[in-house]
Amino acid sequence: MSQLVTGDAVVLGLRPARLPSRALAVFIDLVVLWGVYLALSMAVLSAAGSLDDAATAAIAVALLLLVLVGGPVAVETLSHGRSLGKAACGLRVVREDGGPIRFRHALVRGALGFVEIQMTVGVVACIASLVSARGRRLGDVFAGTLVVRERIPVSRPVPVPPPPPWVAGHFAELDLSRVPDGLWLAVRQYLLRADQLDPQVGWSMAQRLAADVAGFTGAPAPEGMPPAVYLSGVVAERQGREAQRAFGEGIRPEAGQSGAALLPTAPGSGPGPGPVWSASPPPPSAPPVPAPSPPQPSAGGGDGGDGGDGEADGPRTGFVPPA
């Protein structure tokens, strides 16, 4: 694994390409380049057969530089470091900081590549690649580039075990922005391998990691809470915040629950110390109240019915019985 560091102090995990894959990519590129060069030479020289020897030699040198030197430079510049051979072998040319190459990088690689690969039949390039720790030839050294592998087998990420349900809501107010990524990685690796560790070793590791996390957050772990449970709860809180930041506002699942409102219940009614949080659906919203309709005038012009205020027998309907 190559330790490539960007300008933001981020370590990139890139695998440099080794000599066999690079040699195969170069062989494919040379076959294509020399095929194009021979076809163009035959076409141009047959069309300019009436010229003298000096003009023919000038045309041959121009075609040589244009195709065998300018061709790789143009292809790597336009494709951001992927020639035909590199694309077939799953390789790419990048800068030392992992970024895409530009014209100046491709120009230096192409000019030196014509000397160390084609003029010396690849002997100089092979020796330089074997001596270099990352398999770089002279063109890569002077251009500040590196050939890396793009087709890397990636394993599926293993999810961290969720914390117990009664932990939900305990760490909603913690400031997790100061905890470094290296400590998060150590906590995640511990949680994934906690079942495989010796109980005493796992307990000591959990205590040390919990103390480190509490030191960065500025708040100690709740009293009576095991350190492993504290670590799983803090990791679940961080994952919930990241998911909320990525997918927008809304109900955030916590402690293995999805879309449920977390309401406090009486202490001691759940499995574990401290306050217990249970999931219950939100109360249904009240139906909308219809707007009152205007009163209908009665035909009798009075209170209607048998007299009085008329509200004791029910609402007025505006119906007048026949005489």
Side-chain angles (χ1 to χ4, degrees):
M1 187 70 69
S2 175
Q3 297 296 326
L4 298 183
V5 182
T6 65
D8 299 329
V10 177
V11 179
L12 301 179
L14 300 178
R15 295 186 179 181
R18 295 305 177 184
L19 185 58
S21 57
R22 295 192 63 176
L24 180 59
V26 169
F27 177 76
I28 296 175
D29 291 337
L30 289 180
V31 169
V32 175
L33 286 176
W34 279 95
V36 173
Y37 170 71
L38 293 178
L40 287 178
S41 298
M42 293 176 61
V44 172
L45 293 179
S46 61
S50 58
L51 299 177
D52 54 1
D53 295 339
T56 302
I59 292 176
V61 172
L63 284 176
L64 181 70
L65 295 177
L66 180 64
V67 176
L68 299 182
V69 178
V73 173
V75 169
E76 288 190 354
T77 302
L78 297 177
S79 64
H80 298 289
R82 293 193 71 188
S83 62
L84 183 61
K86 291 182 177 61
C89 298
L91 308 180
R92 181 186 288 272
V93 182
V94 297
R95 300 196 307 261
E96 286 184 322
D97 59 355
I101 64 172
R102 302 182 182 274
F103 172 74
R104 59 185 181 87
H105 304 98
L107 180 61
V108 175
R109 294 188 79 255
L112 291 179
F114 179 76
V115 176
E116 63 177 330
I117 294 178
Q118 301 189 49
M119 294 185 63
T120 61
V121 201
V123 175
V124 176
C126 289
I127 295 175
S129 181
L130 291 174
V131 171
S132 175
R134 294 186 289 182
R136 304 168 69 191
R137 61 179 178 88
L138 295 180
D140 294 319
V141 173
F142 285 98
T145 57
L146 177 69
V147 181
V148 298
R149 295 174 54 189
E150 285 190 319
R151 300 172 186 172
I152 300 176
V154 179
S155 58
R156 296 185 60 183
V158 180
V160 178
W166 57 270
V167 181
H170 279 70
F171 311 108
E173 303 298 331
L174 285 183
D175 181 14
L176 305 179
S177 60
R178 297 175 53 193
V179 182
D181 293 338
L183 184 55
W184 286 123
L185 180 60
V187 172
R188 184 179 186 276
Q189 291 177 350
Y190 163 75
L191 293 176
L192 291 177
R193 296 172 174 83
D195 297 337
Q196 306 172 6
L197 299 175
D198 182 76
Q200 294 183 354
V201 175
W203 181 266
S204 61
M205 289 183 60
Q207 283 184 326
R208 180 175 54 84
L209 292 174
D212 294 342
V213 173
F216 283 104
T217 58
E223 179 136 4
M225 180 179 292
V229 176
Y230 169 75
L231 293 175
S232 62
V234 173
V235 170
E237 177 66 25
R238 179 176 184 264
Q239 291 177 348
R241 294 182 186 180
E242 294 293 336
Q244 189 175 13
R245 187 180 299 109
F247 301 104
E249 298 293 334
I251 299 178
R252 181 181 58 181
E254 294 185 7
Q257 301 170 2
S258 175
L262 298 174
L263 302 177
T265 59
S269 60
V276 182
W277 295 74
S278 62
S280 62
S285 58
V289 180
S293 59
Q296 300 290 336
S298 61
D303 295 335
D306 297 334
D309 39 333
E311 291 296 327
D313 297 336
R316 300 176 180 178
T317 59
F319 174 74
V320 180

